[in-house]
Amino acid sequence: MTQIRSVVLGCGAYLPGQVVTNAQLAERIDTSDEWIVQRTGIRERHIAAEGEFTSHLAIKAAQAALTDAGIDAQSIELIVLATSTPDNTFPATAVAVQHGLGITHGAAFDLQAVCSGFVFALATADNFLRTGAYKRALVIGAETFSRILDWNDRGTCVLFGDGAGAIVLEAQEQPGNAASDRGVLTTHLRSDGRHKAKLFVDGGPSSTQTVGHLRMEGREVFKHAVGMITDVIVDAFNATGLNAESIDWFVPHQANKRIIDASAHKLHIAPQKVVLTVDRHGNTSAASIPLALSVARKDGRIKRGDLVLLEAMGGGFTWGSALVRW
């Protein structure tokens, strides 16, 4: 029986021009390149310029994705933008992106699931496309986390960066076989609000009327991450009949190299199949997976027909996985 799948037509990314190295951070706070690399794998990150907003990054990533797909922006009917750092409390930053692309039809909205945002947005767009509500969608992850960091907190400010990534999805009829169909094969989403205090921002319109700063209990996050990540990946394998050996590329959320390595090891995914960009980008939250996808697509690693495993975990906690055949 044939099945409608959300097939990736193209992907794109944008990184701000300003690069901040670990050595530069060490000039401002009590840290060192060796300390940061040993604990996180991060060597540098990109920081948005003054006056450069999340929407600006998202528009450039979306334009790159549309160019890669070879389609016109006017064919896009749905924009789902994952972000925890919107331009404004409202309207949705997705609406600014829609306007920036010259689109005046369809729907555009933001989705907030912190670092899991791109996987949640992908699942949301996939469900809209599979029901026939829309034909083509832009799924974007875009963040300016530099705006919510406490630059005196060495435990958090060294971890994050700014950036945006996007993919174009199109609803296409496929044979209905997970072993060969192109597109999004399965998504699995989870959340557990009991863990809020371990990773959160201490501000908001309703609570403090301020933006606030990111706060994190790093050891607690690390302790939960590997188990939660592997659980939703096992769910993806069970739903499709696929397994770790079937995977061509593992594209995890780029938060911490130690978490990525431990997850891949637990799942028996070979190191050469893991796409790593955390060293160059830092943790760009919802933008990290599409940024990594764009890097691996551009350098020729990800090719048509490849099976790609995505996963992420973020504040809340939220976590999720997706299996996509390119």
Side-chain angles (χ1 to χ4, degrees):
M1 178 183 291
T2 61
Q3 188 170 345
I4 299 298
R5 303 276 195 192
S6 302
V7 175
V8 180
L9 298 185
C11 66
Y14 175 76
L15 290 162
Q18 182 184 3
V19 176
V20 176
T21 65
N22 292 345
Q24 288 173 303
L25 287 178
E27 294 173 359
R28 301 166 50 182
I29 57 173
D30 181 19
T31 191
S32 69
D33 177 69
E34 181 183 15
W35 189 90
I36 298 169
V37 172
Q38 183 181 40
R39 287 161 177 77
T40 69
I42 299 168
R43 297 184 182 277
E44 61 184 33
R45 70 285 294 147
H46 292 251
I47 302 296
E50 185 177 353
E52 190 173 36
F53 303 155
T54 295
S55 62
H56 300 144
L57 276 57
I59 290 168
K60 290 177 180 177
Q63 289 169 332
L66 290 165
T67 298
D68 186 52
I71 64 170
D72 186 82
Q74 296 306 314
S75 68
I76 297 296
E77 301 169 319
L78 173 67
I79 300 173
V80 185
L81 171 61
T83 188
S84 298
T85 50
D87 290 6
N88 301 100
T89 301
F90 73 85
T93 302
V95 176
V97 175
Q98 182 190 39
H99 175 64
L101 296 174
I103 301 171
T104 57
H105 57 268
F109 59 88
D110 290 356
L111 186 150
Q112 222 284 45
V114 200
C115 298
S116 306
F118 183 78
V119 175
F120 275 59
L122 176 66
T124 301
D126 174 50
N127 279 285
F128 274 113
L129 295 183
R130 287 192 294 108
T131 63
Y134 301 103
K135 177 69 174 176
R136 282 182 177 168
L138 263 172
V139 180
I140 307 168
E143 302 282 17
T144 48
F145 256 53
S146 61
R147 308 278 159 76
I148 58 170
L149 297 178
D150 177 351
W151 288 96
N152 295 311
D153 179 4
R154 72 169 189 164
T156 58
C157 74
V158 302
L159 302 177
F160 296 91
D162 302 335
I167 62 172
V168 178
L169 294 177
E170 180 179 75
Q172 294 184 9
E173 193 173 275
Q174 296 290 311
N177 181 1
S180 60
D181 282 4
R182 291 184 65 208
V184 179
L185 304 179
T186 190
T187 59
H188 298 267
L189 310 179
R190 302 281 187 276
S191 58
D192 187 343
R194 292 176 296 175
H195 301 288
K196 173 191 171 183
K198 297 178 178 69
L199 179 55
F200 71 107
V201 169
D202 60 2
S206 180
S207 57
T208 66
Q209 297 83 58
T210 64
V211 173
H213 293 112
L214 185 149
R215 305 299 179 193
M216 182 174 71
E217 298 175 13
R219 291 180 181 176
E220 286 295 309
V221 174
F222 189 98
K223 187 173 75 175
H224 286 83
V226 176
M228 289 177 168
I229 288 165
T230 52
D231 281 351
V232 286
I233 290 173
V234 170
D235 288 345
F237 290 155
N238 290 338
T240 58
L242 299 167
N243 54 45
E245 292 183 1
S246 310
I247 301 302
D248 292 299
W249 300 105
F250 178 37
V251 185
H253 165 50
Q254 307 289 315
N256 183 303
K257 187 177 184 297
R258 291 195 298 163
I259 294 174
I260 294 170
D261 289 345
S263 301
H265 178 75
K266 186 174 180 179
L267 291 159
H268 306 291
I269 297 174
Q272 60 267 27
K273 293 183 176 182
V274 181
V275 176
L276 274 174
T277 58
V278 68
D279 58 328
R280 290 165 281 168
H281 300 163
N283 182 349
T284 55
S285 190
S288 78
I289 288 177
L291 276 168
L293 283 172
S294 183
V295 168
R297 182 75 180 104
K298 188 172 288 186
D299 67 22
R301 278 180 287 177
I302 295 178
K303 301 178 292 294
R304 182 185 174 108
D306 282 355
L307 184 62
V308 182
L309 170 63
L310 314 177
E311 63 79 5
M313 174 188 167
F317 288 143
T318 63
W319 64 104
S321 68
L323 270 175
V324 182
R325 182 166 283 107
W326 211 260

